[in-house]
Amino acid sequence: MEKQEVKLLGSSISPFVRRIEWALKLKGIEYEYSEENLQNKSDLFLESNPVYKKVPVLIHGGKPICESLVILEYIDEIWPQNRLLPEDPYEKAIVRFWANYAEDKLMQGIRNVLMSEGEEQAKGVKQVTAALHIIDAEMKSITKFFGGETIGYLDIVLGLTVLWLEVVDEVSSESKMFDLQSFPSYSKWMEAVKDLPLIKDNLPAKDILYREEQITLTVVPSIDNTKVE
């Protein structure tokens, strides 16, 4: 089979792009990385993701795939080495369920905390705390990672929280919004993930995160909630 070109359109300050880089590196896939200027998007980028106009975009053999969770599943289907998702259909469905839960409740809650103040921020904190309690309970059954002794799909999806929760504490009006000691299973998992060279060597700078809604956050000295069109 002829080897097809793999290209990743991303932004160095996007945590969601990191998901794709982790997966590609884990599977040993060679790819070309193209840094996008999100204030002056390239024609290739706009043609590849005309609906959301957001990173990441994976282009494989000239065909674009968008949205990080969708891209992760595509990567796992195309390159079966070092499987991310379980082979068993039921187990695969459970992993997808928790990935969607984390995206909908935990990630969205973190966004709400970062983008709000006062009462609204307090609501976001409650949402994140509730999600962490539920995820922490689910983590009691895992040995080291969701993928076993090696990271899998759900570890990669949740890997963003390793950095995001630290950022929340730094930019919030309160100090230490989340007492991670209250989530022992999550904390143990987080420390194991942070020790992986694949993760710690490929995280965006903590002081700048690109929000999936195309908002740039400057954590130090303040947050710049500027729409990036």
Side-chain angles (χ1 to χ4, degrees):
M1 182 185 297
E2 184 182 350
K3 188 176 180 181
Q4 294 182 312
E5 181 186 38
V6 179
K7 189 167 187 174
L8 176 61
L9 309 183
S11 166
S12 59
I13 55 176
S14 169
F16 294 92
V17 172
R18 290 307 188 277
R19 284 176 174 169
I20 311 309
E21 291 190 298
W22 296 338
L24 291 171
K25 290 177 186 295
L26 184 66
K27 288 177 174 285
I29 306 304
E30 293 184 8
Y31 65 97
E32 177 189 347
Y33 177 79
S34 178
E35 178 75 11
E36 282 295 321
N37 180 343
L38 299 173
Q39 292 180 317
N40 185 23
K41 301 180 176 90
S42 69
D43 290 340
L44 175 62
F45 177 66
L46 293 173
E47 290 167 6
S48 300
N49 191 359
V51 178
Y52 288 116
K53 300 181 179 65
K54 295 188 296 185
V55 292
V57 176
L58 186 75
I59 302 177
H60 180 217
K63 297 177 181 178
I65 306 96
C66 308
E67 295 296 293
S68 64
L69 296 188
V70 176
I71 296 171
L72 287 178
E73 292 206 32
Y74 178 85
I75 289 172
D76 207 34
E77 288 184 17
I78 297 297
W79 296 283
Q81 67 271 28
N82 299 325
R83 278 289 186 191
L84 302 178
L85 284 157
E87 295 282 0
D88 180 79
Y90 176 76
E91 291 179 4
K92 187 182 294 184
I94 295 300
V95 167
R96 284 171 171 157
F97 169 84
W98 285 109
N100 288 332
Y101 178 84
E103 200 79 351
D104 183 45
K105 301 299 182 182
L106 185 56
M107 304 300 185
Q108 188 57 51
I110 293 173
R111 292 181 184 123
N112 291 343
V113 172
L114 285 168
M115 293 303 302
S116 60
E117 296 177 348
E119 239 177 80
E120 286 304 310
Q121 190 175 76
K123 287 180 184 177
V125 170
K126 286 182 180 179
Q127 180 178 338
V128 173
T129 301
L132 281 174
H133 276 300
I134 291 172
I135 290 171
D136 183 73
E138 180 65 18
M139 283 180 164
K140 288 178 181 177
S141 61
I142 68 175
T143 52
K144 189 174 183 180
F145 304 110
F146 284 99
E149 289 300 310
T150 57
I151 63 171
Y153 179 84
L154 196 48
D155 300 291
I156 288 176
V157 170
L158 280 168
L160 302 184
T161 64
V162 169
L163 184 61
W164 267 22
L165 289 178
E166 292 180 4
V167 170
V168 166
D169 277 337
E170 290 189 15
V171 304
S172 64
S173 55
E174 303 174 27
S175 60
K176 294 297 175 187
M177 281 189 166
F178 304 107
D179 178 13
L180 294 181
Q181 292 182 352
S182 301
F183 315 103
S185 297
Y186 173 84
S187 296
K188 183 180 177 182
W189 167 86
M190 187 173 73
E191 290 305 315
V193 169
K194 286 171 72 174
D195 281 342
L196 287 171
L198 174 71
I199 303 295
K200 67 183 180 182
D201 294 343
N202 293 282
L203 281 171
K206 193 166 74 170
D207 62 334
I208 301 175
L209 287 177
Y210 174 68
R211 298 294 306 286
E212 193 68 349
E213 302 92 339
Q214 300 179 339
I215 295 172
T216 300
L217 297 181
T218 305
V219 176
V220 181
S222 63
I223 304 177
D224 177 14
N225 299 334
T226 306
K227 271 277 186 182
V228 181
E229 297 293 348

